[in-house]
Amino acid sequence: MEDLEIRPAVAGDIPAIVAMLADDPLGAQRESPDDLAPYLTALERLAKDPNQHLVVAVREDRVIGTLQLTIIPGLSRRGSTRSIIEGVRIHADERGSGLGTRLIEWAVDESRRQGCQLVQLTSDATRTAAHRFYERLGFEASHVGFKLPL
Amino acid sequence: MEDLEIRPAVAGDIPAIVAMLADDPLGAQRESPDDLAPYLTALERLAKDPNQHLVVAVREDRVIGTLQLTIIPGLSRRGSTRSIIEGVRIHADERGSGLGTRLIEWAVDESRRQGCQLVQLTSDATRTAAHRFYERLGFEASHVGFKLPL
């Protein structure tokens, strides 16, 4: 893992990121790896927002992981800033290698650097292995996550 | 409810908002209504971010509800934009009046207007009445919400 780099995603990373999003029991039905245009548009919007940090994990020029970190200022908890982690994906060949831990640790460190007092994320209720992973990293499953598709 | 107004929060609303944040079994230990400075600093940061919408519900010049809506662009789900609702509070005198429904409907409508394909929120696992409320509004409790205090 020594030569692992975690850096901001650029347009050239999009095919690899979308392939990881689609290579997933839930993502398979939700993504369109044959049409990258909507992803490139979204990347442009992310790049303009200083509170958005879409990163990739790269080893030997190969994109093997990704996540999105969003910094959210707020009033509650004495004006705390929190961060939200979304879209964590690890390439199938790299699962179990500790890369997920490295990525989440990066997100936690970056959140601390940005003055956040809380890191949060939601995980689909069916992803029980992911839940154990987050609990091992110190996260507490204290909340219920609700979603409403529009 | 006819004369209810939902509008962006301003500095003059902060005492009323913080009083609502503190008047809550969980918030009582986390807020400092006697020291508004950190909340005013947070409001300035929120006001500068076009993806943040901190609003108050006002009737007869009285602040009776609040929530924070955050717009989050992203790559997953074909470059979907999602929104996150945080910090929903209804004044104790107004609970059960339908105001919570009005505020969440505002947030859902605004999310749609901003091009979001998904609205999400987390609710503390102990807030079972809130869970039924969100389910009645069409939200699905499909996720587990994890938090890590820093």
Side-chain angles (χ1 to χ4, degrees):
Chain A
M1 300 287 279
E2 291 318 302
D3 55 354
L4 186 79
E5 183 192 9
I6 296 174
R7 60 154 173 82
V10 296
D13 301 320
I14 289 292
I17 296 173
V18 175
M20 287 189 290
L21 292 173
D23 180 24
D24 175 274
L26 299 171
Q29 301 120 48
R30 300 197 296 225
E31 308 300 341
S32 64
D34 297 335
D35 175 18
L36 296 178
Y39 300 96
L40 289 163
T41 303
L43 178 67
E44 278 174 35
R45 187 165 172 193
L46 287 166
K48 281 182 204 150
D49 183 340
N51 286 327
Q52 297 293 346
H53 304 275
L54 178 72
V55 296
V56 285
V58 179
R59 195 168 53 207
E60 291 171 5
D61 290 331
R62 198 165 148 256
V63 172
I64 54 177
T66 181
L67 66 73
Q68 178 179 349
L69 182 70
T70 302
I71 308 298
I72 303 189
L75 288 195
S76 62
R77 300 173 185 238
R78 299 186 180 86
S80 283
T81 296
R82 66 185 73 200
S83 66
I84 294 188
I85 299 172
E86 289 276 358
V88 182
R89 293 294 184 281
I90 304 295
H91 192 284
D93 299 348
E94 304 286 337
R95 288 176 199 153
S97 72
L99 175 59
T101 300
R102 288 282 296 272
L103 266 171
I104 298 297
E105 285 175 349
W106 175 89
V108 170
D109 289 347
E110 180 65 22
S111 299
R112 204 174 269 123
R113 220 176 56 79
Q114 301 246 357
C116 297
Q117 284 89 30
L118 188 67
V119 184
Q120 61 189 55
L121 59 91
T122 66
S123 180
D124 193 283
T126 63
R127 299 194 197 267
T128 50
H131 303 173
R132 288 192 297 273
F133 167 75
Y134 291 119
E135 286 178 328
R136 277 198 303 273
L137 290 174
F139 286 80
E140 194 191 345
S142 55
H143 282 61
V144 180
F146 291 86
K147 305 225 180 211
L148 176 72
L150 297 184
Chain B
M1 301 287 279
E2 290 319 301
D3 54 353
L4 186 80
E5 184 192 10
I6 296 174
R7 60 157 174 79
V10 295
D13 301 320
I14 289 293
I17 296 173
V18 175
M20 288 189 291
L21 292 173
D23 181 24
D24 174 275
L26 298 172
Q29 300 122 48
R30 299 196 296 223
E31 308 300 340
S32 64
D34 296 337
D35 176 17
L36 297 179
Y39 300 95
L40 290 163
T41 303
L43 178 66
E44 277 174 38
R45 187 166 172 193
L46 287 166
K48 280 183 206 151
D49 183 341
N51 286 328
Q52 296 293 346
H53 305 275
L54 177 72
V55 296
V56 285
V58 179
R59 194 167 55 209
E60 293 170 4
D61 291 332
R62 197 165 147 258
V63 173
I64 55 177
T66 181
L67 67 72
Q68 178 179 349
L69 182 69
T70 303
I71 309 297
I72 303 190
L75 288 196
S76 63
R77 300 174 185 238
R78 299 184 180 87
S80 283
T81 297
R82 65 185 73 200
S83 67
I84 294 188
I85 299 172
E86 288 276 357
V88 182
R89 293 294 184 282
I90 305 295
H91 192 284
D93 299 348
E94 305 285 337
R95 288 178 199 153
S97 71
L99 175 59
T101 300
R102 288 282 295 273
L103 266 171
I104 299 297
E105 285 174 349
W106 175 88
V108 169
D109 289 347
E110 180 66 22
S111 299
R112 204 175 268 122
R113 219 174 58 76
Q114 300 245 358
C116 297
Q117 284 90 29
L118 188 67
V119 184
Q120 63 190 53
L121 60 88
T122 66
S123 180
D124 193 284
T126 63
R127 299 193 196 269
T128 51
H131 302 172
R132 290 191 296 272
F133 166 76
Y134 290 119
E135 286 178 328
R136 277 199 303 274
L137 291 173
F139 286 80
E140 195 192 342
S142 54
H143 282 61
V144 180
F146 290 86
K147 304 222 182 215
L148 176 72
L150 298 184

